[in-house]
Amino acid sequence: MRVGVRILPSAHWKTARHAWRLADDMGFEHAWTYDHVAWRERLGSTWYAAMPTLAAAAGVTERIKLGTLVSSPNFRHPVPFTKEVVTLDDLSDGRFILGLGAGSGGADAEVMGNEPWPASERTARFQEFVELTDKLLRTETTDHAGRYYGAKQACVDPDGGARARVPIAVAATGPRGMRTAVRHADIWVTNGHSPRPGVIAPIASPDVVREQIARLSLICEAENRDPSTLRKLAHLGQDRSVLESAALFADVVTQYRDAGVTDLVVPFPDERSGSQGDLKVLEQIASMELPRPTRPDHARDCGP
């Protein structure tokens, strides 16, 4: 089981940099941040952009992998965004993971001045967004004339395709999104289930994730992909209870591993939580589950 942390972009960098350094020093496998213009109850509060934050994090860390959890088409176009992705991958010396999701309603969906897309259009846009992004990362020059996005002689990689493709993590729990993950992703991401997406935060549990992985495996079979080649990441960012004690976390790891999960992401205590207890438990978790590697590992290790 690989364990990572989610660090919100909600603090000034002079404070936030210590969290990223600490996550790296603790030995966690990966560290992620949200890619939103604004986010839920933190509307109007301190909130910074994901890509510059990760670029700064790349400069103060050495071995931990860095990623967006997740970026969406709400306010992005694949061509300029993929250019940012490749640049960030270079800044991190090959440690970047591109997390993508369909997004939802709310501030991100309305900030550009348009009405939120219907669910069917959001799904279709996401499918095309991932397809084109993957193509841009794989080919030296890309042309694309799609329903929602276009590209003409787009060359986003300054190395001309010489570098390894940036790994893609796709967050999806519906059948069309899962199919997109199976076709394009190295990592499938879930944060559980929400009865009202975009309104009520999703909640993950081993039983919910086990059922989702079972459906994902059926789609892998239909798409002729070996399910073991797709990592399964459960994001527990809304569940602070996992940091109540190291013993509780060890039990959580066992339950999710038995459900088929390969990666877990837990919340890193931020400046607004004021929970030093959480931080002490996080240190115990890092020591218990993730012995530090003997050398920096910048390889494209996104296999099972």
Side-chain angles (χ1 to χ4, degrees):
M1 179 72 73
R2 302 169 178 90
V3 179
V5 293
R6 180 223 62 202
I7 303 174
L8 296 177
S10 57
H12 299 297
W13 182 245
K14 63 184 179 182
T15 299
R17 62 188 176 191
H18 300 298
W20 294 93
R21 284 174 176 166
L22 189 55
D24 192 34
D25 290 341
M26 285 180 175
F28 284 102
E29 177 73 16
H30 31 62
W32 311 77
T33 199
Y34 288 163
D35 186 11
H36 299 293
V37 172
W39 186 61
R40 291 182 183 152
E41 69 272 10
R42 304 210 181 205
L43 288 171
S45 300
T46 304
W47 191 268
Y48 290 98
M51 300 301 276
T53 295
L54 290 169
V60 299
T61 57
E62 295 181 357
R63 48 150 299 279
I64 196 167
K65 294 179 175 65
L66 308 168
T68 52
L69 201 65
V70 288
S71 301
S72 81
N74 267 328
F75 51 88
R76 295 198 180 278
H77 185 285
V79 173
F81 181 53
T82 306
K83 190 74 168 182
E84 294 181 23
V85 167
V86 172
T87 302
L88 184 48
D89 189 57
D90 179 66
L91 293 172
S92 65
D93 196 15
R95 291 184 286 131
F96 184 63
I97 302 173
L98 173 58
L100 297 173
S104 60
D108 284 357
E110 301 172 0
V111 72
M112 304 292 284
N114 56 287
E115 291 296 318
W117 302 317
S120 59
E121 181 178 343
R122 181 174 300 280
T123 299
R125 280 181 176 270
F126 179 58
Q127 288 178 307
E128 187 178 339
F129 190 98
V130 176
E131 177 186 354
L132 178 52
T133 300
D134 190 11
K135 186 176 181 181
L136 286 161
L137 288 170
R138 291 181 183 275
T139 59
E140 185 173 351
T141 304
T142 301
D143 290 293
H144 178 84
R147 181 177 180 184
Y148 302 107
Y149 305 104
K152 183 176 181 180
Q153 293 292 292
C155 178
V156 302
D157 186 356
D159 293 336
R163 69 175 59 237
R165 167 185 164 277
V166 175
I168 294 176
V170 169
T173 56
R176 293 173 67 184
M178 283 184 170
R179 189 171 296 108
T180 298
V182 168
R183 290 176 177 174
H184 300 282
D186 304 277
I187 306 171
W188 167 76
V189 179
T190 180
N191 57 356
H193 171 73
S194 171
R196 297 177 64 192
V199 179
I200 300 175
I203 299 175
S205 72
D207 288 340
V208 166
V209 174
R210 179 181 293 106
E211 187 273 332
Q212 290 175 337
I213 290 176
R215 290 190 282 114
L216 184 72
S217 296
L218 291 175
I219 294 172
C220 283
E221 182 179 348
E223 294 289 328
N224 295 314
R225 178 168 183 177
D226 181 350
S228 69
T229 65
L230 183 62
R231 277 165 55 181
K232 291 90 175 173
L233 184 152
H235 175 212
L236 310 183
Q238 298 299 113
D239 186 3
R240 301 205 70 87
S241 68
V242 298
L243 299 183
E244 288 182 1
S245 71
L248 174 63
F249 184 75
D251 184 55
V252 168
V253 168
T254 299
Q255 292 182 56
Y256 276 99
R257 180 185 288 126
D258 291 347
V261 170
T262 61
D263 296 73
L264 284 177
V265 174
V266 299
F268 193 97
D270 65 26
E271 62 175 2
R272 292 178 55 167
S273 72
S275 178
Q276 290 301 312
D278 282 357
L279 189 56
K280 291 179 180 178
V281 172
L282 202 64
E283 292 173 341
Q284 294 169 1
I285 288 170
S287 175
M288 175 182 62
E289 293 293 333
L290 295 174
R292 293 189 63 175
T294 57
R295 60 180 177 80
D297 179 11
H298 297 168
R300 294 282 128 167
D301 174 23
C302 272

